[in-house]
Amino acid sequence: MVDESVEEAKAALRIKAHAARASLDHQERAEAAAAAAKHFFDGIALDPSHVVAAYWRIRDELDCQPILVRLMDSNQTVVLPVVLGDEEPLDLRVWEQGASLYEAGFGTLAPSDLAPRAEPDIVIMPLLGFDARGTRLGYGGGYYDRTLAKLKKKPLLVGLAYAVQELDDIPREAHDVPLDAIVTEAGVRHFGDNA
């Protein structure tokens, strides 16, 4: 059952977080993406055998490309998400070195339908907002919630955002899986037990 008051609160927070993100200029965005990539590699334990799910930036999200380039250059296995339908989990396709990316809806790019699939050990997640408890505020479509629910193992969940996207408190519902860490241009914060 949907709690209307929680949904209204989240809708208001989405507007606030999106406005904060949209207020950044092109130079601030580029500098933040470079700094966040450095913090990601300095602060997230990454094993060469790990499969890393990342994303292709849409609209004014923090650009994941500096992280993607370094992962691909180091031959890390990378998967990119594809939206298959409104009530479906994301299809996580391996992006193989040298393989082309194709339009995958919502302005994203992804490997072809023929690409292999893999379950991630680490998921880098875009978001609209986050709070000090590791609660992630997404766009409200539930794609990541459905995807995480179908995985055989729980991956390390790493939010990627601008520091201005931090909110005081985001209501957390039973289906909301908290982040293990958040990476911004200001650094990495680990949430431990996600209390």
Side-chain angles (χ1 to χ4, degrees):
M1 181 158 175
V2 175
D3 184 334
E4 293 298 325
S5 63
V6 169
E7 289 307 310
E8 287 174 15
K10 285 185 173 182
L13 289 171
R14 283 185 182 100
I15 292 167
K16 180 179 179 180
H18 190 266
R21 189 172 79 182
S23 72
L24 300 171
D25 67 33
H26 179 75
Q27 184 66 30
E28 289 170 312
R29 291 173 201 279
E31 290 170 2
K38 180 184 182 319
H39 295 310
F40 175 84
F41 289 103
D42 289 347
I44 302 297
L46 189 62
D47 185 272
S49 67
H50 284 157
V51 174
V52 181
Y55 63 90
W56 199 266
R57 175 188 63 86
I58 59 172
R59 297 186 291 271
D60 51 8
E61 290 174 342
L62 182 63
D63 195 351
C64 194
Q65 225 170 339
I67 295 172
L68 282 168
V69 167
R70 187 161 162 194
L71 290 170
M72 294 297 286
D73 285 349
S74 64
N75 294 315
Q76 194 83 38
T77 300
V78 172
V79 295
L80 294 175
V82 178
V83 174
L84 297 178
D86 286 346
E87 297 302 318
E88 298 292 320
L90 297 166
D91 189 25
L92 300 174
R93 299 178 185 172
V94 176
W95 183 19
E96 296 173 310
Q97 195 69 265
S100 296
L101 295 177
Y102 301 90
E103 287 186 29
F106 298 98
T108 65
L109 296 177
S112 86
D113 190 41
L114 301 176
R117 274 53 172 184
E119 286 215 354
D121 299 289
I122 298 173
V123 178
I124 303 171
M125 306 172 80
L127 50 85
L128 273 170
F130 65 94
D131 66 17
R133 297 181 306 138
T135 307
R136 173 186 175 269
L137 182 67
Y139 295 97
Y143 294 106
Y144 279 96
D145 295 328
R146 287 189 295 279
T147 303
L148 295 173
K150 81 166 186 97
L151 297 178
K152 294 179 182 84
K153 62 184 180 211
K154 185 203 176 287
L156 182 76
L157 303 179
V158 180
L160 189 64
Y162 300 104
V164 298
Q165 292 175 256
E166 184 168 1
L167 300 165
D168 291 335
D169 185 55
I170 300 169
R172 189 185 294 173
E173 297 174 279
H175 66 272
D176 292 327
V177 180
L179 298 168
D180 296 302
I182 185 77
V183 177
T184 71
E185 73 277 17
V188 178
R189 286 166 46 199
H190 295 271
F191 298 109
D193 64 357
N194 291 304

